[in-house]
Each structure stands twice: as C-alpha cells, then as structure tokens.
Amino acid sequence: MRKWIVIVTVFLLMHQWVSAQATHDFKYGDEHFLLDGKPFQMISGEIHYPRVPREAWRHRMKMAKAMGINTIGTYVFWNVHEPQQGVYDFAGNHDIAAFVKIAREEGLWVVLRPSPYVCAEWEFGGYPYWLQNIKGLKVRSTEPQYLAAYKNYIQQVGKQLAPYLVTHGGNIVMVQFENEYGSYGADKEYLSINQQMFVDAGFDCLLYTCDPAKDVAKGYLPGFLPAVNGLDRPEQVKGLVRKYHDGKGPFFVAEWYPAWFDWWGEKHHRVPAEDYSGKLDELLGAGLSINMYMFHGGTTRGYMNGANCYDTSFYEPQISSYDYDAPLDEAGNATQKFLEFRKVIQKNLPVGQSLPEVPAAKPSITLPAIKFTNATDLFSVLPAPVKSARPLTFEALKQAYGFVLYRTLQPGGRKGMLSIKELRDYGIVFINGKRVGVLDRRKKQDSLEVDLPSGTATIDILVENMGRINFGPNLLKNEKGITSRVSLNGMELLGWQMYSLPFEGVNKLSFAKPVKIKEAPVLRKGVFELAATGDTYLDMRQWGKGCVWINGHHLGRYWSIGPQQTLYVPAEWLKKGKNEVVVLELLTPGQTELTGLSKPVLDVLAPGNGVQ
C-alpha cells in the first residue's frame, strides 16, 4: 500500500510541475512577438554553452539579466553532440538541456539554434568530421545520405530539448531550422525537408530562418518568419521582413553585431561602445527585437576553432579566444560596452521596470612562475603507425582533430624541392630528426629545399589541423592532413607511415625527468601550488606554437604570431593546493618556464607574420 501511495504522490507532483510550467503562450503578432497575448520585445544575448565552463553558466546568465537581457540565444553544435557517427554526448559541458534549465531558473527565455549548420567560427561550421567519410554525401542539400545522418542527430536533439519548449511549458520560445542558408544556396525543397525534420523531432513551436539582408530571398521559407542578420536601421529591417512575411512582422534582428571575431596573424578587433549604443537605442526604441551576437563569446577550447576560406587564394584559421570584444569579456566580466548598453536598455524598458545590480567583477590572480620538471619529446610517444603507399588524410585515419606525423624513408645523398600538394594546414618538416622548415597554408607555403644526407633518410612531416572551414562555398573541401601527394623534384614519394596524435587528453602520457630537447616538439609537465583560486591567464609570449592543458582541461591553442598572446584559465578549473599544467610546444622546445598574468593580451602581433 505504501508503495502505491509513493507512486501516486510522485505522479501528482509531476502533474503539478507540468501544469505549473504550462502557463505561457508565445506567438507572432503583426508587429511584435506576443507573450501571453501581450507585446514582448525580445532582447536576446548569444552565449554558447561549449565556450563557457559549465560551472560558470549561471554566472553568465546573471550578468545577462543585469545588462537587461531577457532571452539567451545559443547554437546547438552537431560535432559536439555526435563526435563519431551514432555516438552521442549530452553530458558535462555538452549538457544543453541543463543550460536551458539554468536559463529558466534565472528567469530567462531561450532562442534555440540547432540548425544543421551553425557557422559560429566553429570547426566545420558545426558539422562532424565523419560526414566527409561517407562517399557522395553533400551537406546542406537533399542528398539522401546527408538527410539520413541529420535526421538521426536532430531526433536525439529533440529528445533532449523538446520538453523545454514553451509549447510544453518550458522556456524555449523559438527554434531556428536553418542558419544563413541564403549565403550558401537557394533550394526551397531542402529548406522544407529540413523544417519538417524539426517538426518530426518534436519541435512543435515557432520556427524561423535567419540570413544577411542580401541573402534573405534565397534563405527564407515561405510561411516562416525570415529574421535578418546585420542590419541596424529599423525601417530597413521592417521593409525586408514585410516583403517576405505577408506584409507583417514581428521584426527580429537575429544577429546584431556589436563587434567581431579574430584570426591568427591579423589585429584584434575592437569596436568602441559609442559606435553601437546609438544603433541599439534606435532599434529598441522602434520596438524591434534583437539577438546580440555575441553578448559573451568565451573561449573556443580544444581544436574547435573554424576558419574562413572563401576561395583557394587564402585561409584564415580563427584564434582560441572568442572574446569578440563583446559586452562580457572572455572571463565573463562587464566591459565598458556592457555598461553603455545597459544604460540604453534601461532607457527603453517599460515605465516602472528596473534592472538588477551588476555583480561585482570576478577576482583574478597571477600564477607563480612554473618550472617544468618533466618532459618528453614527441617522437618518444608515437603510437603504432598506419602504413600506406601514399599519405592518408585525417578522415581516412578516422581522426577528427589534432596532429598526424607522416613518415617516409627515402634514399639519401640528394638535394631538391620537397613539395606537398594540398597541405592542410600547417606542417613542420624534419630530416633524420632535425627540423629543416615550416610550411603554412595561410601563406601558401607548400614546398621547401631539402638536403637528404647519404644513406637512408627519414623524412617526417608533422601536420596540424588548424581548423576546418566554417563559412563560404568550400565546406565540402575540408579534409585535413596531407590530402594529395608529396614529391621530391617532381617525383612522388611513396611508402608512408602515419602516426595519429589527436591529443584529446594528456593524462595517459608518461614523462621523463628533465631532458634537453633541441629539435623535436616537446611535451612538458609542471606543478604549481595555489592558496586561493581565481581567473588567470597564461603568458605565452616566450613560447612558439602549441596547446596547453590545466588539470586535464584543454585551454586551446597559442601561437606567437598573435594577436592572442595569453590563454584564459577559468577559476572553476583551478583548485587550492597542487595543480598540473602540460604544454605541447612545437617550435621552441628549449622553453622551460611559464608565467602568468592577471589580464589578457589579445592584441599583439609579431612582426612579419601576417598574410599579405
């Protein structure tokens, strides 16, 4: 009897919870969004959950509320949630449902953007690398294999998020079913199929598309709201939306840009607050809704940065910091832009409403100088190789990110031009273990003169995937590694061994006592002690190029060419007492000390490293 009482009680509590949640109605009006039948001006700020430590999600949302944000916008990233085909990950920092729930607890609505393609300065625009291993698959199209793969994924996303739609009592008010498709194609059949997939996955709510103004005609689907990206003038937004939405609104700037992102070898983008506060005032004063891209950028950790490549003449990989010169800086602190935008939003609030106080700035610390006590050279931690007559790509090796060492043994006693056709993206060349040169796709460098000593010469080429293209017409040209052939004086070199080095983690690596390493890339491990934790930054200006892990967390890439010269270390990933740091250094293996800073350095370029 007691068992049945418990079951009935649980059922009644669940019913009460669902009933309590199912209290809101969200619709389109002729001019405005309608929340419970009343005009609702959406002031949304974009935050991407994988770019912010899970432990800090709530803090960032409290900061959003303090600026006047009432809605959080976020993409949903396919390659994060299905890293290998049929293998799904919605845990830890990838727990999108938890992110949405925290927003609800903080009194924030959510605009969800789980489009198959996200752009976002994110690796492959959010697509998982393994799509390229399916012969004939064509992304953003009606090609059957692509649609089948996407259907499997969006069904999983629906299981996670459909319960949190406003139609089910949750706080997700709208869902975007394609992202700037008009900048890529114009197939309305594809858009229609994609939209229906969302419905079939449980997204029975308001659906919309977004495109830059010039591409709306190609990217919208008749009958659905065409949101606009990048416009600041209310009348332009209204005219464009009315043109494609039966003469009606509501009017939504789905990506309103207060700043911009950065890429390696080019200056850091800064946009003064006063350049945009007036534009924000004009939009809000005219009653338009916006999604601020970005409100808080955070950090693109690991190897998840994307790259721009509009044609074959250039390649621009983005940096790890996604500071974006946004209202919240990379660590989540209020900037001058935050304070100026807050004034504008407060001015445009309904009479009687006020904003909460701005939370105090988070404490920052400076790490003590770290002396590395253990090290190993890269050539000492090579796994078993895969052998092939010709070099294999990352994709053929079923490796998503990181590095591959390509090795071939060739007859020596000759000189000539070593050429790598379609190197993607950065290669360090060694002859018999001695570094002889670097090749950089950004600079169209794909060959160098080599001198093979007599006897059998070992040629090693360490190739780094610097980020797959995330925007433009070359999405389907995204294989990594040595993607064609290697030749010496025009003669193809055959007989290769490939060593996969994804470096997803470093916990299983073994390190020797201090050793002097002069040529090979090196992995160094050190320990430092903290009496108190706080946000901090690693000063990488004396280092060359590589990656850093702290307490097992991959902080991202560094590269001396800039503009980013520091790596942000969240307080949430530090601990009192002993902390461990591991550095993979590719170019200056003799560097043995790492220092810290209390503030970032994001705007220093090394001379001569930009792309002309």
Side-chain angles (χ1 to χ4, degrees):
M1 184 67 177
R2 183 177 297 174
K3 177 181 178 182
W4 283 107
I5 291 173
V6 171
I7 292 173
V8 171
T9 301
V10 170
F11 175 80
L12 289 173
L13 288 173
M14 290 179 65
H15 177 74
Q16 290 172 2
W17 181 85
V18 171
S19 298
Q21 301 303 311
T23 56
H24 293 289
D25 179 65
F26 191 79
K27 294 181 179 179
Y28 296 151
D30 289 352
E31 292 286 322
H32 306 283
F33 295 111
L34 298 177
L35 179 61
D36 298 333
K38 298 178 181 179
F40 173 71
Q41 185 172 33
M42 188 188 302
I43 306 175
S44 177
E46 187 98 359
I47 305 174
H48 298 151
Y49 54 100
R51 284 175 158 140
V52 180
R54 177 175 177 149
E55 302 90 334
W57 287 347
R58 192 178 300 276
H59 170 266
R60 305 306 193 263
M61 292 181 189
K62 288 183 181 296
M63 294 297 293
K65 287 181 68 177
M67 199 181 85
I69 297 294
N70 58 28
T71 306
I72 299 298
T74 186
Y75 285 122
V76 184
F77 301 84
W78 188 353
N79 56 6
V80 157
H81 296 300
E82 195 179 3
Q84 299 289 344
Q85 189 169 14
V87 178
Y88 298 99
D89 179 4
F90 291 97
N93 235 95
H94 302 159
D95 191 346
I96 176 63
F99 182 80
V100 171
K101 284 190 283 187
I102 291 173
R104 183 180 62 197
E105 291 165 4
E106 293 299 322
L108 293 161
W109 305 102
V110 170
V111 170
L112 196 69
R113 312 216 280 159
S115 310
Y117 163 80
V118 300
C119 189
E121 290 70 60
W122 193 265
E123 227 274 346
F124 202 0
Y127 283 122
Y129 87 98
W130 51 262
L131 289 176
Q132 297 181 106
N133 281 337
I134 302 175
K135 188 175 181 180
L137 183 145
K138 186 177 180 182
V139 299
R140 308 188 89 177
S141 77
T142 58
E143 193 277 316
Q145 297 173 106
Y146 168 71
L147 293 178
Y150 185 63
K151 181 179 180 180
N152 291 336
Y153 162 68
I154 200 63
Q155 289 282 336
Q156 295 294 324
V157 175
K159 290 177 182 178
Q160 295 288 321
L161 296 175
Y164 302 103
L165 299 174
V166 71
T167 47
H168 298 173
N171 58 323
I172 300 172
V173 291
M174 290 201 309
V175 175
Q176 178 183 293
F177 67 87
E178 242 296 1
N179 184 59
E180 297 186 327
Y181 176 68
S183 301
Y184 186 83
D187 187 344
K188 302 298 182 184
E189 181 188 6
Y190 160 71
L191 286 174
S192 181
I193 293 172
N194 197 42
Q195 177 268 330
Q196 186 60 47
M197 280 191 184
F198 273 68
V199 174
D200 295 342
F203 291 102
D204 55 347
C205 60
L206 294 179
L207 301 175
Y208 74 102
T209 58
C210 78
D211 289 282
K214 65 181 180 62
D215 297 323
V216 170
K218 294 187 294 182
Y220 90 106
L221 186 65
F224 294 88
L225 182 69
V228 184
N229 293 353
L231 287 186
D232 292 311
R233 302 304 297 268
E235 290 309 313
Q236 291 179 342
V237 177
K238 289 182 177 181
L240 200 54
V241 173
R242 285 181 177 134
K243 181 178 179 181
Y244 298 107
H245 199 232
D246 297 326
K248 301 175 183 178
F251 309 107
F252 182 36
V253 181
E255 291 187 11
W256 182 74
Y257 307 112
W260 207 241
F261 60 91
D262 294 333
W263 51 91
W264 293 111
E266 297 292 335
K267 66 180 182 179
H268 176 52
H269 290 87
R270 290 193 184 277
V271 181
E274 56 268 24
D275 287 5
Y276 276 86
S277 55
K279 297 175 181 179
L280 178 61
D281 191 21
E282 188 176 1
L283 286 167
L284 297 183
L288 273 69
S289 291
I290 67 162
N291 178 49
M292 191 177 298
Y293 193 102
M294 298 290 295
F295 164 70
H296 171 52
T299 311
T300 310
R301 294 183 178 85
Y303 308 108
M304 283 296 178
N305 66 279
N308 283 335
C309 179
Y310 305 109
D311 56 49
T312 56
S313 65
F314 75 97
Y315 170 74
E316 294 174 343
Q318 290 116 20
I319 66 174
S320 290
S321 171
Y322 206 57
D323 175 87
Y324 216 92
D325 195 33
L328 282 193
D329 67 15
E330 188 174 3
N333 293 310
T335 66
Q336 185 62 34
K337 191 171 287 181
F338 178 102
L339 299 175
E340 293 298 321
F341 287 0
R342 185 176 188 270
K343 292 177 184 176
V344 171
I345 294 171
Q346 177 73 73
K347 172 187 171 184
N348 286 279
L349 289 177
V351 176
Q353 287 191 17
S354 60
L355 298 177
E357 292 296 317
V358 179
K362 300 165 65 189
S364 62
I365 62 173
T366 302
L367 296 183
I370 301 167
K371 295 282 188 179
F372 290 93
T373 54
N374 300 81
T376 185
D377 71 83
L378 187 73
F379 296 135
S380 298
V381 295
L382 297 179
V386 173
K387 297 181 180 181
S388 173
R390 292 179 172 83
L392 299 176
T393 64
F394 277 52
E395 289 74 16
L397 295 167
K398 293 182 170 55
Q399 179 179 335
Y401 317 112
F403 308 81
V404 170
L405 181 73
Y406 294 84
R407 173 172 289 174
T408 183
L409 277 61
Q410 299 291 330
R414 49 187 175 145
K415 301 178 181 180
M417 183 66 71
L418 182 73
S419 299
I420 306 174
K421 187 176 181 182
E422 297 294 336
L423 171 69
R424 299 178 183 165
D425 302 298
Y426 185 87
I428 308 174
V429 181
F430 302 85
I431 305 295
N432 289 351
K434 180 179 180 180
R435 190 174 78 208
V436 296
V438 170
L439 302 175
D440 186 347
R441 181 182 178 186
R442 297 177 316 120
K443 295 185 173 185
K444 309 179 190 65
Q445 296 170 336
D446 62 1
S447 58
L448 76 165
E449 289 281 349
V450 297
D451 185 353
L452 303 185
S454 58
T456 299
T458 299
I459 302 174
D460 286 320
I461 307 168
L462 180 65
V463 178
E464 180 180 4
N465 166 6
M466 284 293 297
R468 290 183 179 86
I469 300 160
N470 64 265
F471 182 80
N474 294 315
L475 284 177
L476 295 174
K477 299 176 182 177
N478 255 328
E479 291 182 320
K480 290 298 181 179
I482 296 176
T483 62
S484 183
R485 65 198 292 264
V486 182
S487 61
L488 181 65
N489 293 329
M491 297 294 294
E492 184 176 10
L493 300 181
L494 301 175
W496 289 88
Q497 301 175 65
M498 276 67 60
Y499 299 86
S500 289
L501 299 164
F503 286 121
E504 295 166 343
V506 290
N507 293 335
K508 295 181 180 180
L509 293 176
S510 59
F511 292 83
K513 292 296 182 182
V515 291
K516 290 185 178 180
I517 300 172
K518 296 181 179 180
E519 297 286 347
V522 64
L523 287 142
R524 295 194 180 276
K525 183 170 73 172
V527 175
F528 60 95
E529 298 249 359
L530 291 178
T533 61
D535 286 332
T536 191
Y537 301 85
L538 300 179
D539 185 354
M540 309 307 301
R541 286 175 290 186
Q542 300 305 311
W543 295 72
K545 190 178 194 303
C547 307
V548 180
W549 292 258
I550 285 220
N551 294 329
H553 296 281
H554 195 318
L555 301 181
R557 310 177 200 253
Y558 65 89
W559 196 358
S560 60
I561 68 171
Q564 178 181 352
Q565 299 289 350
T566 52
L567 282 172
Y568 168 54
V569 185
E572 294 83 2
W573 291 349
L574 294 172
K575 55 190 176 183
K576 293 181 181 179
K578 287 188 177 181
N579 294 264
E580 183 180 273
V581 58
V582 174
V583 179
L584 168 61
E585 169 57 46
L586 304 177
L587 299 177
T588 58
Q591 185 65 26
T592 60
E593 184 174 280
L594 179 61
T595 57
L597 295 170
S598 61
K599 295 182 179 180
V601 178
L602 299 176
D603 55 0
V604 175
L605 286 172
N609 280 287
V611 177
Q612 302 299 319

